[in-house]
Amino acid sequence: MKNNIKITKTQSSRLSTVDFNNLPFGRIFSDHMFIVDYENGVWVNPRIVPFEHFPMHPGSMVLHYGQAIFEGMKASKGYDGTPFLFRPEMHAKRLNASAERMCMPTLPEDLFLEGLHALVGVDADWIPPQEGSALYLRPFMIATDEFIGVRPSDHYRFMIITCPVGPYYSKPVRLKVETEYVRAVNGGTGEAKAAGNYAGSLLPARKAQQAGFDQVMWMDGHEFRYIQEVGTMNIFFVIDGKVITPATDGAILKGITRDCVLTILRDKGYEVEERPLTIDEVLDAFEAGTLQEVFGTGTAAVIAHVAEISYKGRELILPPVADRKVAQFVFDQINGLRAGKIADSHQWIVPVNMDAMVGA
Ligand SMILES: *Cc1c(COP(=O)(O)O)cnc(C)c1O
């Protein structure tokens, strides 16, 4: 432990009040949280404290100009009960890429990782043991200057809060190809996991839901031809046996599940392409009968099958989920890895360092 994280444990754990067999997503928070503050150009006072509200100045810059970024990841338990993290260093790197785009300070990777290990170690009993359940981890950073002039903040707070969550099953989704609003453009903030990107996506998502769809499929902001992502997931197509996902081009979020899926499919010998993909190519494949599978990928659901795509009044009804061999294969692989049932040939599984708890 290089960073000397001070740990103050709660006197009154809420753990016994939680039913692990009935966990609404994102509403139940574990006993502790990790905090570190940025002042005078350095990160100071890393600490784990009982989960609680914290006071904020109404002029805090994050409330006005939106310097706010986050990560979403999971801790789970192997079959032997060992808590582990999944590719935590990728999340540390992506948080810093987001920070740079939003003109926020980066966080030393070892501080991010030690904070995670220490917090998950302290709250290890909050990781639901049921297969498919997990402790959802939410690292985030906000601007805390008490000032309402427009400039980058000088003070920031980085925190990690966690929620036990049950198996997240996404029913096959009906997508509306978005032809009016855009999520991100090249040169914009789409590649950052920034809070504001979500704010901007809520209205189009709600309109799509009112029209009977589950989520929108985002298109490029110049021509509305190139496919970007779906909702808050990356997207994959299987066309004539080939697996195709849009290349990250500066407007698409670089999903860690996306990277896992690409790696697992390449390992297995699938032909995998990362390249620009137009909606016309998808329509042509559908007409030709070669559009076999479409699925979204993200940490929460891992895989969400797409049942239907609606584009300018045309309905593309995709083959039954029972026939989706590629999506089912990657889903089983990733869940098998998380459950400790499949050999981890890429060192994606990182056991939680319980020594991080010394000093508790
Ligand atoms: C977080 C996120 C994803 C998925 O990323 P994972 O690392 O796989 O969870 C995809 N798209 C957007 C817009 C996201 O914010």
Side-chain angles (χ1 to χ4, degrees), residues 72 91 94 183 193 198 229 231-234 253-258 297-299:
H91 290 276
R94 189 171 65 185
R183 189 191 85 90
K193 215 165 168 73
Y198 280 72
E229 343 190 5
T232 58
M233 291 184 287
N234 294 112
L253 200 283
K254 291 180 176 166
I256 290 164
T257 317
R258 174 185 183 278
T297 67
T299 294

Side-chain angles (χ1 to χ4, degrees), residues 76-78 84 86 260 264 330-349:
S76 36
K77 278 182 177 159
F84 60 78
F86 192 74
C260 292
I264 287 169
V330 288
F331 183 78
D332 291 345
Q333 289 288 308
I334 294 174
N335 280 333
L337 273 167
R338 285 185 182 283
K341 287 182 172 168
I342 287 179
D344 175 26
S345 52
H346 297 282
Q347 281 84 49
W348 287 346
I349 301 290

Side-chain angles (χ1 to χ4, degrees), residues 53 61 103 148 173 189 196 218 225 236 256 340:
H53 291 75
M61 285 185 78
C103 210
I148 54 169
V173 292
T189 58
W218 300 108
R225 275 182 66 214
F236 284 78
I256 290 164

Side-chain angles (χ1 to χ4, degrees), residues 28 42 102 264 339 342:
I28 296 167
V42 280
M102 305 312 281
I264 287 169
I342 287 179

Side-chain angles (χ1 to χ4, degrees), residues 100-329:
E100 281 176 5
R101 178 62 185 86
M102 305 312 281
C103 210
M104 300 166 87
T106 56
L107 187 73
E109 275 179 39
D110 60 282
L111 180 54
F112 178 96
L113 295 173
E114 276 182 31
L116 268 183
H117 279 271
L119 181 64
V120 176
V122 168
D123 277 341
D125 291 343
W126 283 82
I127 306 173
Q130 290 85 346
E131 192 172 331
S133 297
L135 190 63
Y136 184 82
L137 314 174
R138 170 51 59 85
F140 64 104
M141 192 195 296
I142 55 172
T144 53
D145 270 15
E146 299 167 0
F147 175 60
I148 54 169
V150 179
R151 59 154 172 75
S153 182
D154 289 327
H155 294 78
Y156 294 86
R157 173 164 284 192
F158 171 79
M159 301 181 65
I160 308 171
I161 55 176
T162 79
C163 296
V165 297
Y168 186 102
Y169 171 73
S170 169
K171 69 171 174 45
V173 292
R174 301 181 62 222
L175 298 182
K176 177 193 156 198
V177 177
E178 182 57 65
T179 52
E180 182 182 357
Y181 298 101
V182 295
R183 189 191 85 90
V185 291
N186 298 58
T189 58
E191 210 170 72
K193 215 165 168 73
N197 291 341
Y198 280 72
S201 72
L202 297 177
L203 178 67
R206 181 155 79 188
K207 286 191 167 182
Q209 279 152 18
Q210 283 166 347
F213 300 97
D214 298 300
Q215 288 184 7
V216 301
M217 184 154 105
W218 300 108
M219 309 300 285
D220 79 276
H222 301 286
E223 300 177 67
F224 286 94
R225 275 182 66 214
Y226 293 94
I227 296 166
Q228 292 184 331
E229 343 190 5
V230 311
T232 58
M233 291 184 287
N234 294 112
I235 188 161
F236 284 78
F237 295 80
V238 183
I239 298 178
D240 205 10
K242 260 189 231 159
V243 183
I244 306 166
T245 192
T248 53
D249 59 354
I252 294 174
L253 200 283
K254 291 180 176 166
I256 290 164
T257 317
R258 174 185 183 278
D259 185 76
C260 292
V261 169
L262 289 170
T263 305
I264 287 169
L265 291 176
R266 284 183 179 131
D267 283 356
K268 181 76 178 169
Y270 277 98
E271 215 178 313
V272 178
E273 297 178 353
E274 284 179 82
R275 60 169 173 83
L277 176 66
T278 62
I279 185 69
D280 302 305
E281 185 177 340
V282 171
L283 293 172
D284 289 348
F286 180 77
E287 291 306 328
T290 54
L291 181 59
Q292 293 154 325
E293 302 185 29
V294 184
F295 56 94
T297 67
T299 294
V302 183
I303 297 285
H305 296 289
V306 175
E308 188 182 327
I309 298 171
S310 168
Y311 179 62
K312 295 185 174 166
R314 282 179 67 182
E315 305 288 319
L316 279 53
I317 311 286
L318 295 163
V321 166
D323 297 345
R324 314 276 184 103
K325 291 199 180 62
V326 176
Q328 195 58 47
F329 172 71

